[in-house]
Amino acid sequence: MPTLLGIPLDLNSSYLRGAAGAPSKIREALGSEASNKWTELGVDLGAPGAFADAGDLRLSDSREKATEDFAEIERAVGQLLEKGELPMSLGGDHSVTYPILKAFARRYPELTIVHFDAHPDLYDEFEGSRVSHACPFARIMEERLAKRLVQVGIRTMNGHQREQAARFRVEVVEMRALPGYDRLKIDGPIYVSFDVDVLDPAFAPGISHREPGGMTVREAIAHLHAIEGTVVGADVVEYNPGQDVAGMTATVAAKIVKEILGKMIARS
């Protein structure tokens, strides 16, 4: 069963903080009576037992206890996996994906990550930190926590990150090359990491790093629906409520969560 897990942590944000406040806002939008509980793939999320909610982790979200927070994320996700549940994490900045994947790697050694983002997050280190939200996929790939990494919607590649992508054999589908449906026909277990800033800020202004020229909500949903294989876990990260306009981004993030949940339920 898919299970929501809130991860209120943004201590590794490099520009604006605020993403720690996202889990409650996404839940609020997900439960809003403004829409029904059916996904576009025909899954009724309102049906009894469709998915569970494990609540939010209690984290310090402080640099002094960063190691303890990462350990708690890994422990909590691992516990859900041991119960046979499918964690759907609500971040939080993108650094949370690293400890999440440490837990997943123990259960799914042949995992493929499908990563939606404006940024490749492949820096070896950023501003002196190797666990910055700009670095998680460098840590994940160097520790071989996934067999394959497919990135979709990227539009901020620089020289260093191109070198990193080549080093780790990352399959990068840049925004200018979309659609990338052919890259989403994947055998085996899949983890989806969805950074809300993959969307154009016109559709999702509530983010810390606005990068024009991104995906529409429809393009993002079409790519999620195009994923073939079994989605065993996911995260939606980098929504910053403090930068939102009239709750627009919360609604969009909840829509993405709905469609990912529907995908997980349909193939589980």
Side-chain angles (χ1 to χ4, degrees), residues 10-257:
D10 61 12
L11 66 92
N12 294 306
S13 296
S14 62
Y15 180 50
L16 300 175
R17 294 187 68 169
S24 63
K25 294 296 184 180
I26 295 174
R27 283 194 184 87
E28 183 180 326
L30 192 61
S32 173
E33 295 181 358
S35 181
N36 63 43
K37 301 299 186 291
W38 286 78
T39 75
E40 293 189 15
L41 292 176
V43 176
D44 181 8
L45 297 180
F51 69 96
D53 193 334
D56 290 354
L57 296 181
R58 298 184 67 179
L59 304 172
S60 69
D61 199 26
S62 66
R63 297 195 182 280
E64 293 75 21
K65 295 188 176 181
T67 301
E68 290 91 333
D69 280 352
F70 268 27
E72 174 60 12
I73 294 167
E74 183 181 347
R75 182 206 64 79
V77 172
Q79 189 174 62
L80 291 177
L81 289 169
E82 287 172 7
K83 295 177 182 177
E85 299 181 33
L86 306 175
M88 170 81 237
S89 301
L90 310 177
D93 71 48
H94 218 152
S95 72
V96 304
T97 303
Y98 172 41
I100 290 171
L101 264 293
K102 291 180 77 170
F104 266 86
R106 292 193 292 271
R107 187 174 183 88
Y108 298 104
E110 297 297 308
L111 192 67
T112 294
I113 303 171
V114 177
H115 169 210
F116 292 84
D117 205 326
H119 316 90
D121 293 348
L122 284 167
Y123 282 101
D124 184 58
E125 63 86 24
F126 193 78
E127 296 180 343
S129 172
R130 286 173 56 82
V131 292
S132 165
H133 69 161
C135 305
F137 293 98
R139 303 289 79 78
I140 288 165
M141 297 309 287
E142 73 185 7
E143 294 183 24
R144 300 181 181 180
L145 303 180
K147 177 183 71 174
R148 183 180 174 198
L149 173 59
V150 180
Q151 298 186 321
V152 181
I154 306 299
R155 53 191 187 276
T156 58
M157 281 291 240
N158 61 15
H160 170 66
Q161 295 200 86
R162 288 191 188 280
E163 292 174 358
Q164 290 283 85
R167 173 188 173 193
F168 297 123
R169 298 182 180 179
V170 181
E171 299 167 51
V172 182
V173 184
E174 294 190 55
M175 187 64 212
R176 58 184 177 161
L178 259 56
Y181 304 133
D182 58 317
R183 299 293 189 91
L184 303 176
K185 297 178 181 179
I186 298 164
D187 294 325
I190 298 166
Y191 184 90
V192 176
S193 185
F194 193 99
D195 186 321
V196 178
D197 69 29
V198 73
L199 302 169
D200 192 276
F203 300 93
I207 52 178
S208 297
H209 295 261
R210 294 177 182 155
E211 186 65 37
M215 299 176 87
T216 66
V217 178
R218 177 49 49 198
E219 286 174 321
I221 292 171
H223 280 79
L224 287 170
H225 288 173
I227 294 172
E228 296 181 10
T230 303
V231 179
V232 296
D235 61 57
V236 172
V237 297
E238 295 287 349
Y239 163 45
N240 185 339
Q243 299 297 308
D244 207 358
V245 177
M248 180 193 307
T249 313
T251 302
V252 170
K255 174 71 171 179
I256 296 300
V257 169

